[in-house]
Amino acid sequence: MKETRPGSGLYHAHYLLDCRLDNWFRLLNENGWHIEKRKIPQFLYMLGTSLLLTLPTLLEALIFALPIRRHKIEKAPVFIIGHWRSGTTYLQNIMSRDPQFGWCDPVSTTTFNNSYLLGWLTSRVQKKVLVDARPMDNMKYGLDLPMEDVFALNLISTHSIIHMIAFPRNYEKYLHEAFVEDQPARAQRQWARSTMYVLKKISLRKHGRRLLLKSPDHTCHPAALQKLFPDAKFVNIHRDPYVTIMSTINMFKKQMELIRLAELPDADMDDLLETVITGLFERMYKKLFAMQDSGAFGPGCMAEIAYTDLEKDPEGCLRRIYDQLQLDGYDAALPEFRKYIDAQKGYVKNKFTIGPRLRSKINSHLGFYFERYGYAMTEE
């Protein structure tokens, strides 16, 4: 696999490049200040960038502290949830064409700490480096498409599942912290404070438009999001678990090789990733189903679609989402939806072959998911 190096797009697109200096120290401290030897040049480059940006980061934080604190998110956000590789990106990209929504553009997200004062500069840089920033599939980034809000949270907080990619030896910590409701009260408050700061700043940049947000890790903690926004709306997109988990394993393998800073765990990584991802899938959906069955999502607060339905009939799925969430604006946005959908018709998906070990793990742990959505479980 090709190594990251100075001058390559992915080297400069590392998700921690704009990490706030205090957050760097917290991350390093909880990971024993250990960086893999061959990753030291990349780490020093990133740390140097953070040092260079410290003054403008502080200046932006001071200038916008009061406006962000006073800003109110009047319209409850729409959260697109679903496991990694289940179609969340495609769905958000389509829905983001509706002008009623505000969303996390690359400048607001990957350069969150300097999105106001240096946005004019970082947008120019990102036009060059984001093109090849998705090594796991054939989808392209662009400044006119949304990104995951978790990448903004990464820059100011250690409470993010994505940090396990940079520090994979500590993966259990970051996996567990994704389930916010299971954390101590203090950790829950820290997560809530950081998340609210991120969303209020982005909402301010988007002039108060209803936020359309997507991060698969939100599927681990919809109750925590509902606590922040009691009227939040959720769209749950699901997909065949065999395909979803195989694609997720491929994604994490590629991302860990490209952006990890510490060594991999001393284990068979194929076996470990299969176990970890299947276990994460099981835990997140058992929690989500328990919430749904308890009636936690009131009328107009939850919509569900299958990825295969979105592929076959995207307009019909979007109409159903808008109806179920009691959202206006579908007809007005339909021409823009069609433009994006038509532009994706040549998209080629990755193909994977499942091995008997992984199939056995999925069948053993996800029977409840197969039954819930009617996916066919196979033995070979």
mmCIF file of all heavy atoms in Angstrom, residues 64 164 167 188 274 316 321 345 380:
data_model
loop_
_atom_site.group_PDB
_atom_site.id
_atom_site.type_symbol
_atom_site.label_atom_id
_atom_site.label_comp_id
_atom_site.label_asym_id
_atom_site.label_seq_id
_atom_site.Cartn_x
_atom_site.Cartn_y
_atom_site.Cartn_z
ATOM 1 N N PHE A 64 -15.240 35.265 18.035
ATOM 2 C CA PHE A 64 -16.565 34.674 17.814
ATOM 3 C C PHE A 64 -17.130 33.987 19.048
ATOM 4 O O PHE A 64 -18.194 33.356 18.971
ATOM 5 C CB PHE A 64 -16.502 33.692 16.641
ATOM 6 C CG PHE A 64 -16.251 34.374 15.324
ATOM 7 C CD1 PHE A 64 -14.970 34.435 14.794
ATOM 8 C CD2 PHE A 64 -17.284 34.997 14.647
ATOM 9 C CE1 PHE A 64 -14.726 35.079 13.592
ATOM 10 C CE2 PHE A 64 -17.053 35.644 13.442
ATOM 11 C CZ PHE A 64 -15.770 35.691 12.913
ATOM 12 N N MET A 164 -9.595 6.435 16.987
ATOM 13 C CA MET A 164 -9.028 5.085 17.009
ATOM 14 C C MET A 164 -8.284 4.777 15.714
ATOM 15 O O MET A 164 -7.467 3.860 15.671
ATOM 16 C CB MET A 164 -10.112 4.039 17.251
ATOM 17 C CG MET A 164 -11.030 3.753 16.092
ATOM 18 S SD MET A 164 -12.181 2.415 16.491
ATOM 19 C CE MET A 164 -13.054 2.259 14.924
ATOM 20 N N PHE A 167 -4.862 6.341 16.508
ATOM 21 C CA PHE A 167 -4.235 5.672 17.655
ATOM 22 C C PHE A 167 -4.886 4.300 17.861
ATOM 23 O O PHE A 167 -5.622 4.074 18.827
ATOM 24 C CB PHE A 167 -4.383 6.541 18.905
ATOM 25 C CG PHE A 167 -3.785 7.914 18.763
ATOM 26 C CD1 PHE A 167 -4.580 9.008 18.447
ATOM 27 C CD2 PHE A 167 -2.417 8.111 18.922
ATOM 28 C CE1 PHE A 167 -4.022 10.273 18.312
ATOM 29 C CE2 PHE A 167 -1.853 9.367 18.779
ATOM 30 C CZ PHE A 167 -2.651 10.454 18.470
ATOM 31 N N GLN A 188 -20.074 12.778 29.657
ATOM 32 C CA GLN A 188 -21.255 13.160 28.891
ATOM 33 C C GLN A 188 -21.368 14.677 28.765
ATOM 34 O O GLN A 188 -21.692 15.196 27.689
ATOM 35 C CB GLN A 188 -22.517 12.598 29.557
ATOM 36 C CG GLN A 188 -22.644 11.088 29.490
ATOM 37 C CD GLN A 188 -23.993 10.602 29.966
ATOM 38 O OE1 GLN A 188 -25.023 11.153 29.607
ATOM 39 N NE2 GLN A 188 -24.009 9.557 30.787
ATOM 40 N N GLU A 274 -12.618 -7.707 11.986
ATOM 41 C CA GLU A 274 -13.885 -8.410 11.827
ATOM 42 C C GLU A 274 -14.660 -8.438 13.147
ATOM 43 O O GLU A 274 -15.867 -8.167 13.185
ATOM 44 C CB GLU A 274 -13.641 -9.838 11.350
ATOM 45 C CG GLU A 274 -13.132 -9.939 9.926
ATOM 46 C CD GLU A 274 -12.748 -11.359 9.543
ATOM 47 O OE1 GLU A 274 -12.950 -12.284 10.367
ATOM 48 O OE2 GLU A 274 -12.243 -11.540 8.418
ATOM 49 N N GLY A 316 -38.461 8.594 -4.989
ATOM 50 C CA GLY A 316 -39.513 8.058 -4.129
ATOM 51 C C GLY A 316 -39.075 7.979 -2.683
ATOM 52 O O GLY A 316 -39.855 8.279 -1.767
ATOM 53 N N ILE A 321 -39.079 10.284 2.898
ATOM 54 C CA ILE A 321 -38.358 10.906 4.019
ATOM 55 C C ILE A 321 -38.993 12.235 4.388
ATOM 56 O O ILE A 321 -39.257 12.521 5.562
ATOM 57 C CB ILE A 321 -36.872 11.089 3.660
ATOM 58 C CG1 ILE A 321 -36.156 9.730 3.622
ATOM 59 C CG2 ILE A 321 -36.179 12.020 4.671
ATOM 60 C CD1 ILE A 321 -34.758 9.792 3.034
ATOM 61 N N LYS A 345 -24.718 8.526 -11.954
ATOM 62 C CA LYS A 345 -25.127 7.289 -12.623
ATOM 63 C C LYS A 345 -23.950 6.433 -13.087
ATOM 64 O O LYS A 345 -24.101 5.235 -13.292
ATOM 65 C CB LYS A 345 -26.061 7.612 -13.778
ATOM 66 C CG LYS A 345 -27.449 8.038 -13.302
ATOM 67 C CD LYS A 345 -28.415 8.278 -14.431
ATOM 68 C CE LYS A 345 -29.804 8.616 -13.893
ATOM 69 N NZ LYS A 345 -30.776 8.923 -14.972
ATOM 70 N N GLU A 380 -23.206 -19.979 3.188
ATOM 71 C CA GLU A 380 -22.019 -20.128 2.337
ATOM 72 C C GLU A 380 -22.131 -19.206 1.129
ATOM 73 O O GLU A 380 -23.177 -18.656 0.855
ATOM 74 C CB GLU A 380 -21.873 -21.575 1.872
ATOM 75 C CG GLU A 380 -23.064 -22.110 1.104
ATOM 76 C CD GLU A 380 -22.842 -23.530 0.670
ATOM 77 O OE1 GLU A 380 -22.133 -24.270 1.365
ATOM 78 O OE2 GLU A 380 -23.395 -23.907 -0.383
#
